[in-house]
Amino acid sequence: PSLSSSLRGQSAPASSVGSAPTLGRAANPLMPIDVRIDDLSSPEVQALVAEHLAGMRGNSPPGSVFALAIEGLKRPEITFWSAWRGSALCGCGALKELEAASGEVKSMRTRPAYLRQGVGQAVLDRIVQTAVARGYRTLHLETGTGQAFEAAHALYLRNGFVWSKPFGDYEASDFNVFMCKPLGGAEGAA
C-alpha cells in the first residue's frame, strides 16, 4: 500500500526522559510517558513483542491469534511505537495502513507493572493522532474475547471505538471481536 504521510519514519516528539534505570520495578507514575517510533532492534523491545505474542497465544486458541511477530511489525505499511517512563520500557503499539483512507491498530501491550497508569492511553493517543494526520477516515482493530481482553475493550470504547463487522481478511469467530473509530474525513491531512 502507498503511504500518504510524511510522518512515516519520523520520530515522535520526546517528553522528558529520565536516565535512572528502574531495576525491574515500575518507574515513577508521575513521570511522563514518552511514546516514540521504534525500529524494533533492541533486545528489550523484542522481548516485549515476544511477551505480547505469548499473552495473545495464552488467551486465544490456535488459529485465532493475529498478533504480529517482529518481522511482521517491520513491514513498510506498519509504524511501531514503544512507550517509556524514563529508561523503563512500559508498552507498545502499532498502526498498519490498510489503504489510503484507513488503518488498523496493532500490537497494543502494556507491561504488567504499568497497568492502569495511562500507558495504553498514551500509545492509543499517538496512533489516533498519526491516523488523523495521515488523513485516514477510519481506524479499525481486531482483538480477542473474554476476561483477558476486557480492559482493552473498555479503553477502546472510552476512546470512541464502536463494535463493528470484520474488515480486511479477518473472519468473525467466538474468539475475536472487531471495532472501528470514524475519524471524520481527511481534514487532518497535509
Side-chain angles (χ1 to χ4, degrees):
S2 69
L3 296 173
S4 59
S5 171
S6 60
L7 293 177
R8 178 158 308 282
Q10 293 181 3
S11 294
S15 303
S16 301
V17 178
S19 58
T22 59
L23 303 176
R25 64 189 184 328
N28 179 346
L30 301 177
M31 186 179 291
I33 300 165
D34 176 24
V35 178
R36 52 185 132 161
I37 288 178
D38 197 297
D39 66 3
L40 296 125
S41 63
S42 81
E44 190 172 16
V45 170
Q46 291 176 9
L48 177 58
V49 172
E51 177 184 314
H52 176 62
L53 286 169
M56 296 301 96
R57 290 177 182 139
N59 287 295
S60 299
S64 296
V65 175
F66 302 101
L68 298 173
I70 297 291
E71 289 310 311
L73 291 168
K74 288 183 175 182
R75 295 181 53 91
E77 68 272 17
I78 296 178
T79 304
F80 179 86
W81 290 271
S82 56
W84 301 80
R85 270 221 169 104
S87 62
L89 175 61
C90 48
C92 65
L95 174 61
K96 176 181 180 181
E97 182 170 283
L98 298 175
E99 56 188 22
S102 65
E104 177 182 2
V105 176
K106 297 292 291 179
S107 300
M108 290 284 292
R109 184 69 171 189
T110 299
R111 285 216 150 133
Y114 300 94
L115 292 172
R116 294 166 203 50
Q117 295 179 32
V119 174
Q121 184 66 60
V123 173
L124 185 60
D125 286 348
R126 181 59 49 87
I127 290 170
V128 171
Q129 291 165 1
T130 302
V132 168
R134 290 181 182 174
Y136 294 170
R137 288 189 287 278
T138 309
L139 201 49
H140 299 272
L141 65 88
E142 177 275 340
T143 190
T145 59
Q147 185 175 359
F149 297 95
E150 288 175 0
H153 297 169
L155 172 69
Y156 299 132
L157 290 167
R158 276 195 314 272
N159 281 275
F161 284 81
V162 296
W163 304 109
S164 67
K165 295 179 181 179
F167 60 95
D169 293 331
Y170 290 109
E171 293 183 17
S173 77
D174 291 340
F175 306 104
N176 64 358
V177 293
F178 304 91
M179 302 177 90
C180 69
K181 177 183 174 81
L183 298 177
E187 62 267 9

